[in-house]
Amino acid sequence: MLDIGRDISDSDFILIGLGEEWESCEMTEELQAAYEKLRKQIENRDYFVVTTVMDGWIHKMGFDNKRIVAPCGNWNYMQCKAACCPDIWMKGEGIGEVCPKCGAPLVENTVESKPYVETGYLSQWQIYMSWLQKSLNRKLLLLELGVGFRTPTVIRWPFEKTAYLNLKSRLYRVHEKLFQIPDNLEDRGISVPVNSVEWTLSV
């Protein structure tokens, strides 16, 4: 029987991966409630959040921003379309519509921009890597929520590898359709075929 509350309590470290099921152009009541519940479940614990969600809502939900990394970027930031410089600017800062360095158009700072300016997340990624090293051979709970195959190299495959290497880990993979767990995780992988936002509200 699944007992996520017990697994959270028993873990030394909690690694959360948020994917496409959490992405939204507007903050709905359901999504806000799910974020708030997730935050309350893990507050005062040693956690880290990796998100491929590009809407930026998580940064307004009371999580510790020092424990969040968003390697796919954020719709709320702009970059030079030509990537002439490493600078990024928040929308509404009066920067205008063109790069002040070269005059090229500004576009959203996300992986969908080609080329993608990675300045916004790289320092935080190093913090995440250091945190992950500390979890080695410790009780690690991996909560993979709503992660599909848009960018599987960021969360989905690394979480599988981490769970495989850490014999004290436990991986929850929650997704409405893409919930399958690799055979090599044996009893450490838990597959939950439910929309992850709805599941978060229900547990």
Side-chain angles (χ1 to χ4, degrees):
M1 182 176 179
L2 300 183
D3 189 341
I4 186 63
R6 178 201 61 204
D7 287 336
I8 289 174
S9 297
D10 288 348
S11 299
D12 299 319
F13 296 87
I14 301 170
L15 177 56
I16 299 167
L18 295 179
E20 298 92 307
E21 288 184 339
W22 290 70
E23 196 160 85
S24 178
C25 292
E26 61 180 31
M27 177 54 73
T28 64
E29 290 184 8
E30 180 185 47
L31 187 60
Q32 181 172 352
Y35 270 120
E36 289 175 351
K37 185 166 185 182
L38 180 62
R39 176 178 53 78
K40 289 177 181 177
Q41 286 176 321
I42 62 169
E43 61 186 359
N44 302 320
R45 305 304 311 277
D46 197 343
Y47 73 88
F48 215 100
V49 180
V50 184
T51 178
T52 58
V53 179
M54 294 181 281
D55 54 37
W57 292 122
I58 189 172
H59 297 290
K60 302 178 181 180
M61 292 292 106
F63 292 83
D64 183 351
N65 284 326
K66 295 178 181 177
R67 293 177 174 269
I68 301 171
V69 63
C72 292
N74 188 322
W75 295 339
N76 299 306
Y77 286 86
M78 307 298 287
Q79 67 166 71
C80 174
K81 185 175 182 178
C84 75
C85 61
D87 300 341
I88 59 174
W89 301 272
M90 180 171 278
K91 286 182 180 178
E93 282 187 340
I95 195 67
E97 297 181 357
V98 298
C99 175
K101 302 289 179 68
C102 73
L106 293 179
V107 294
E108 291 177 344
N109 178 230
T110 73
V111 290
E112 295 171 354
S113 300
K114 307 295 183 185
Y116 171 41
V117 175
E118 299 179 299
T119 310
Y121 82 87
L122 285 178
S123 61
Q124 198 62 17
W125 186 263
Q126 293 304 316
I127 294 171
Y128 164 51
M129 289 288 100
S130 296
W131 180 91
L132 191 59
Q133 287 181 344
K134 293 191 300 181
S135 73
L136 188 64
N137 203 33
R138 301 286 298 278
K139 290 182 179 179
L140 172 65
L141 175 64
L142 300 103
L143 292 178
E144 186 187 288
L145 305 175
V147 179
F149 282 99
R150 183 171 67 185
T151 50
T153 58
V154 177
I155 296 175
R156 195 175 180 96
W157 295 342
F159 274 37
E160 290 177 2
K161 182 177 180 180
T162 298
Y164 175 73
L165 293 174
N166 187 341
L167 300 181
K168 296 181 179 180
S169 67
R170 194 168 177 84
L171 168 65
Y172 279 74
R173 173 165 283 164
V174 188
H175 195 286
E176 191 168 13
K177 297 178 180 178
L178 303 172
F179 49 81
Q180 297 80 7
I181 292 284
D183 293 339
N184 62 3
L185 291 183
E186 300 175 348
D187 59 344
R188 296 198 306 282
I190 299 170
S191 176
V192 184
V194 180
N195 178 280
S196 57
V197 175
E198 296 174 3
W199 180 81
T200 301
L201 289 169
S202 68
V203 295

